[in-house]
Amino acid sequence: MTDTLDMVFAALADPTRRAILSMLLEDDMAVTDVAEPFEMSLAAISKHLTLLTRAGLISQEKRGRVKWCKLEPDGLRAASVWMQGFGQFEPVNLDAFERFLATEIPDAARDDG
Amino acid sequence: MTDTLDMVFAALADPTRRAILSMLLEDDMAVTDVAEPFEMSLAAISKHLTLLTRAGLISQEKRGRVKWCKLEPDGLRAASVWMQGFGQFEPVNLDAFERFLATEIPDAARDDG
DNA sequence: GTCATATTTAACCAAAAGGTTGACGATTGG
DNA sequence: CCAATCGTCAACCTTTTGGTTAAATATGAC
């Protein structure tokens, strides 16, 4: 599963990972905090996060001993374009979406603090 | 995997199934004809088609001994909506998000379109 | 009726997915 | 330094996925 579309769609196929993405929509989070609401081990969440990172849907940056997870909305672009091919759907307007995040959810749109 | 989004995204995660959907974009096809370009048994393709049907992405209608496969683009809608919002359980953001849809993506915000 | 065609089902298999626990390396704080 | 915290890795397990082949079912053609 090295193809981008394969990885993105597979990443989205799991409800835990979709929930993680929704959480990250509000704000960047540390791995431990991402894991907190789930009834599942930290190791399992860590694997989900690795998979989301490889799919390009999030990025992870280590600061001190804490690893911060950040949504990468642009990771959806290839999938969105593919779905557009089916006609009747509008593309996900990611540029506009990021502007939306910046104005409506200032914390989540921080670039560098 | 009974959740609709799970099934749709999982269905899209396989390159064979995406190729099948692309083929059906051009025209309805019989199972045998769908299978023809693939280097894989007819039984395998039959399973892929069953999965696509359960995900709501295609429908199959038997006429005589031939089973016709037809694209159901509307099956992508839930996935498309999820991707637009990148998640849906943020009550605070919903109003703003709909305003966002209305201004940036007029077509997608139609209720009866 | 018999044979060919279209498709599914059953039994099987290897590999991948998703989870567990426990040990480990890195970092921070007292 | 020592202990606690953060996160990953390794080993393992079970279930699902994606494929195979062979047999079965249903229909059409002659």
Side-chain angles (χ1 to χ4, degrees):
Chain A
M1 175 117 59
T2 56
D3 180 87
T4 299
L5 283 178
D6 290 5
M7 289 195 299
V8 169
F9 283 129
L12 296 179
D14 185 276
T16 299
R17 288 191 292 263
R18 287 198 307 278
I20 291 173
L21 292 175
S22 293
M23 290 164 59
L24 292 176
L25 195 54
E26 301 184 48
D27 209 348
D28 300 357
M29 294 177 78
V31 172
T32 301
D33 295 328
V34 169
E36 198 274 329
F38 297 99
E39 296 191 342
M40 172 184 318
S41 70
L42 181 62
I45 296 295
S46 176
K47 283 192 200 176
H48 282 304
L49 290 169
T50 298
L51 202 148
L52 286 168
T53 300
R54 278 195 282 136
L57 294 173
I58 69 169
S59 59
Q60 293 182 284
E61 182 200 355
K62 190 167 182 180
R63 287 207 299 271
R65 62 183 163 179
V66 173
K67 202 163 181 180
W68 293 90
C69 305
K70 178 181 184 337
L71 202 61
E72 295 290 347
D74 211 54
L76 275 182
R77 179 153 275 143
S80 170
V81 166
W82 191 89
M83 286 174 75
Q84 256 183 79
F86 283 84
Q88 341 199 355
F89 294 96
E90 290 299 323
V92 175
N93 188 335
L94 290 168
D95 292 337
F97 182 63
E98 296 200 38
R99 287 199 303 279
F100 164 74
L101 286 182
T103 55
E104 300 288 343
I105 315 177
D107 278 353
R110 274 202 318 261
D111 262 352
D112 53 5
Chain B
M1 175 119 57
T2 56
D3 181 87
T4 299
L5 283 177
D6 291 5
M7 289 194 299
V8 169
F9 283 129
L12 297 178
D14 185 276
T16 300
R17 287 190 293 263
R18 287 199 307 277
I20 290 173
L21 292 175
S22 293
M23 290 164 60
L24 292 177
L25 197 53
E26 300 185 45
D27 210 348
D28 299 355
M29 295 178 78
V31 172
T32 301
D33 296 327
V34 168
E36 197 274 328
F38 297 98
E39 295 192 343
M40 172 184 319
S41 69
L42 182 63
I45 296 294
S46 176
K47 284 192 198 175
H48 282 304
L49 291 170
T50 298
L51 200 148
L52 286 168
T53 300
R54 278 195 281 136
L57 293 173
I58 68 169
S59 59
Q60 293 182 283
E61 182 199 356
K62 192 166 181 182
R63 286 208 299 272
R65 60 183 165 180
V66 174
K67 203 164 183 179
W68 293 91
C69 305
K70 178 181 179 347
L71 200 61
E72 295 290 346
D74 213 54
L76 276 182
R77 191 168 298 281
S80 173
V81 166
W82 190 91
M83 286 172 74
Q84 300 274 354
F86 221 70
Q88 73 275 41
F89 46 75
E90 189 37 78
V92 175
N93 300 336
L94 268 181
D95 287 346
F97 187 68
E98 295 200 32
R99 286 200 305 279
F100 161 75
L101 286 182
T103 56
E104 300 287 348
I105 315 178
D107 280 352
R110 269 202 321 257
D111 259 353
D112 53 8

